[in-house]
Amino acid sequence: MPLEARPAPARFEGDFATWLCGHGVPADAALARAVAIHANNALAAATAALAGNYPVLRAALGDAAFAALARRHARAHPPADPRLCLYGRGLPRLVARTAELAAWPWLADLARLEWLVVEALFAAPPPRRPRRLHPDRPWPLAAATRWLASPFPVNSLWQAHQPGARWPRRFPRQGELALVSRPAAGVVVSCLPAAALPLLLALRRRVPLGHLAAAELAHLPALAAAGALVPAIGDG
Amino acid sequence: MGLGAGIGLRLPHLAALAAGDPPAPPPGLWFEVHAENFMVAGGPRLEALMAVAARSPVALHGVGLALAGTCPAPARHLGQLRRLCDRIGPVLLSDHLAWQRIDGGRWHVPDFLPFPRTRAALALCIANVHRAQDGLGRRLLIENPSHYADVGGHDLPEHEFLAELALASGCGLLVDVNNIHVSAHNLGLDAGLLIDCLPGDLIGEIHVAGHRADAGSPLLIDSHDAPVAAPVWALAARLLARIGPRPIMVERDGELPALADLLAEAHQAAALLEPAALLEPAGAA
């Protein structure tokens, strides 16, 4: 496909975009090579961002399999935001839909947990002034707080893939409720009892403290200790 | 002291520099980060950058404004960048002469795409830079791109395009000397002549970086994954000898070496700013 002598910017962009997507090739061989270099640069940047955001999934799959998965995702869902540190939200869905990975059904939840870690890493800091607790008001979750209730031992799997972690002799046979919080300088993943889920859901609905059931209130200290709630006077 | 030689501050070195100054820094050491890595609501990465910025000059180098495109960065992106500027107080703020957004912004290509330097493209760039500078409340420096082929259809050579863009929009120029070396090699041009044509008064910053050979062609790739090559150092010396000292930065993104090795390259860059080097640049043709 030849270019016009003086193409309007929109026309040129349209032609170039077509080539970048692999639909058609410029007639000029040098231009074709340049398009291939730009396409490769773009793909490499997107897949590198996915590798940075999903280190546990990468460790679980191995470099080659992860790279193939990342390329598939980057081609189907290229980044729309130049902030590549926030690229890859949809990767867990691709993991869940990939037939070749069906034998490892926990991988999609492992990826979901990793994405929650990314979200927590870049979430807003808690307010500087501690909140005064009152029965008629909710105790807000910290902006970084996330959780994943999984039918798989997703917290144990995540912990086992951390640098320097010891591989457990066996993983729990039941599902786990993984909590993602940012108590101080870093993101922490921990495990909560499944019975804490109603409390998390109630806090997300901003249910006032005085309306929480006793069984729910019992889990508040653990959440406060994990930094999952905004700082409050008297929460220690 | 003014800005001397800087280094690109990448994430593996961020924690160390947030904890304290490096030993034996070159005079006027400063740091440049990719702005988009820090355009977030909060968290330890942003806090570490703020700790560095509290002690040392920090420049923000954007990779997402798409200033040469028909679909430039949306207002939301400009707002995020402005908030980061307000937090960091950058000593320099820059982005690239390229287009990046496809299909109405549904694909932001994380690379810098070429375009014919027509009068229409110049008008588009001027409008985009005006809009960005107005939205950011700051002057931008615009970086010359690397070229892998001549897309043709130009009305203006690159140095004239950049000069007209700067004069019309009030922006300055960031001259990436490695990009000039790579482009000259790839397009069969004289790199020294390209350097000599650049409008010195408009240049506010210089980048030096490494490159590598393309595996599938005789081209050079602007890869930033190797030490600065000797011809790039020589071109930087030639430019500085003509225009006088400017903030110069060693840009490294891939195969990141130890901080001490990057600082050694920064010392090499700082030496180019010394009077003796400016009067008689080594290796200048």
Side-chain angles (χ1 to χ4, degrees):
Chain A
M1 189 191 313
L3 282 169
E4 294 176 28
R6 290 286 187 278
R11 176 64 182 270
F12 177 84
E13 288 180 10
D15 288 343
F16 205 94
T18 301
W19 300 330
L20 270 185
C21 295
H23 307 307
V25 178
D28 179 83
L31 188 53
R33 182 63 198 156
V35 169
I37 289 170
H38 285 295
N40 184 64
N41 286 349
L43 187 62
T47 55
L50 292 173
N53 287 340
Y54 287 93
V56 170
L57 182 64
R58 183 183 180 195
L61 287 175
D63 288 350
F66 182 86
L69 186 78
R71 283 194 296 272
R72 197 181 294 186
H73 180 74
R75 289 190 176 108
H77 303 285
D81 188 328
R83 298 176 303 167
L84 293 183
C85 60
L86 294 171
Y87 173 56
R89 181 188 194 91
L91 190 63
R93 283 197 300 276
L94 176 62
V95 173
R97 286 201 311 263
T98 298
E100 298 94 317
L101 300 178
W104 299 276
W106 57 85
L107 283 175
D109 272 0
L110 195 59
R112 288 185 186 102
L113 180 57
E114 282 218 277
W115 182 254
L116 297 183
V117 170
V118 170
E119 289 186 340
L121 185 63
F122 299 120
R128 290 183 188 277
R129 289 181 58 188
R131 186 181 183 85
R132 187 173 295 278
L133 298 180
H134 191 279
D136 292 338
R137 292 204 303 259
W139 191 352
L141 293 161
T145 300
R146 306 285 189 277
W147 62 86
L148 178 67
S150 170
F152 305 105
V154 67
N155 170 68
S156 299
L157 287 161
W158 191 88
Q159 302 293 353
H161 286 89
Q162 295 310 297
R166 295 178 64 181
W167 196 255
R169 292 184 63 186
R170 67 167 60 93
F171 285 97
R173 291 185 174 275
Q174 72 276 15
E176 287 179 337
L177 173 59
L179 175 72
V180 180
S181 58
R182 204 175 78 203
V187 175
V188 173
V189 177
S190 55
C191 196
L192 288 175
L197 183 58
L199 171 62
L200 288 167
L201 297 173
L203 293 173
R204 178 187 279 167
R205 292 198 310 274
R206 301 184 60 78
V207 173
L209 281 174
H211 294 194
L212 293 173
E216 293 170 340
L217 285 169
H219 297 288
L220 264 180
L223 287 189
L229 305 168
V230 300
I233 294 173
D235 72 345
Chain B
M1 145 162 234
L3 299 180
I7 60 170
L9 173 51
R10 303 299 175 244
L11 298 179
H13 297 148
L14 180 58
L17 289 168
D21 292 330
L29 176 66
W30 54 285
F31 303 103
E32 186 168 274
V33 298
H34 287 154
E36 281 73 8
N37 285 337
F38 300 90
M39 289 161 54
V40 293
R45 183 183 292 183
L46 179 59
E47 287 170 14
L49 180 63
M50 291 169 72
V52 173
R55 276 200 320 272
S56 304
V58 169
L60 296 177
H61 189 45
V63 296
L65 289 179
L67 294 165
T70 58
C71 181
R76 185 182 70 253
H77 184 88
L78 286 175
Q80 290 161 344
L81 181 53
R82 181 167 187 146
R83 277 193 291 282
L84 180 63
C85 288
D86 291 343
R87 283 171 151 158
I88 298 300
V91 290
L92 300 167
L93 175 63
S94 56
D95 208 302
H96 300 76
L97 185 70
W99 67 282
Q100 299 174 285
R101 290 162 59 80
I102 287 176
D103 197 14
R106 277 185 282 276
W107 180 14
H108 178 95
V109 180
D111 198 20
F112 307 111
L113 302 175
F115 61 94
R117 293 182 300 271
T118 60
R119 286 280 167 195
L122 178 60
L124 181 65
C125 290
I126 291 169
N128 286 342
V129 171
H130 267 308
R131 172 180 172 270
Q133 291 184 144
D134 288 348
L136 296 167
R138 285 170 172 80
R139 182 182 189 232
L140 281 166
L141 302 177
I142 309 299
E143 178 178 338
N144 56 300
S146 286
H147 299 287
Y148 301 111
D150 184 358
V151 298
H154 306 296
D155 291 328
L156 298 158
E158 188 162 277
H159 65 276
E160 285 183 22
F161 191 95
L162 288 166
E164 289 206 26
L165 171 61
L167 291 171
S169 69
C171 74
L173 301 181
L174 189 175
V175 172
D176 189 313
V177 176
N178 183 60
N179 289 357
I180 288 179
H181 174 76
V182 164
S183 298
H185 172 91
N186 291 343
L187 306 186
L189 303 173
D190 181 336
L193 195 59
L194 296 178
I195 285 285
D196 293 345
C197 289
L198 290 166
D201 291 349
L202 300 172
I203 297 171
E205 182 184 352
I206 293 171
H207 276 181
V208 288
H211 55 263
R212 62 177 164 79
D214 182 25
S217 74
L219 299 175
L220 294 180
I221 306 293
D222 174 30
S223 55
H224 297 186
D225 60 358
V228 180
V232 175
W233 284 123
L235 287 171
R238 177 171 174 155
L239 176 61
L240 287 164
R242 178 168 67 85
I243 68 172
R246 295 289 191 283
I248 181 170
M249 199 276 280
V250 177
E251 195 175 30
R252 183 75 176 258
D253 293 307
E255 305 294 331
L256 198 66
L259 185 57
D261 295 337
L262 269 184
L263 289 169
E265 281 199 295
H267 275 285
Q268 201 171 341
L272 299 182
L273 304 177
E274 297 294 327
L278 293 170
L279 289 169
E280 192 172 359

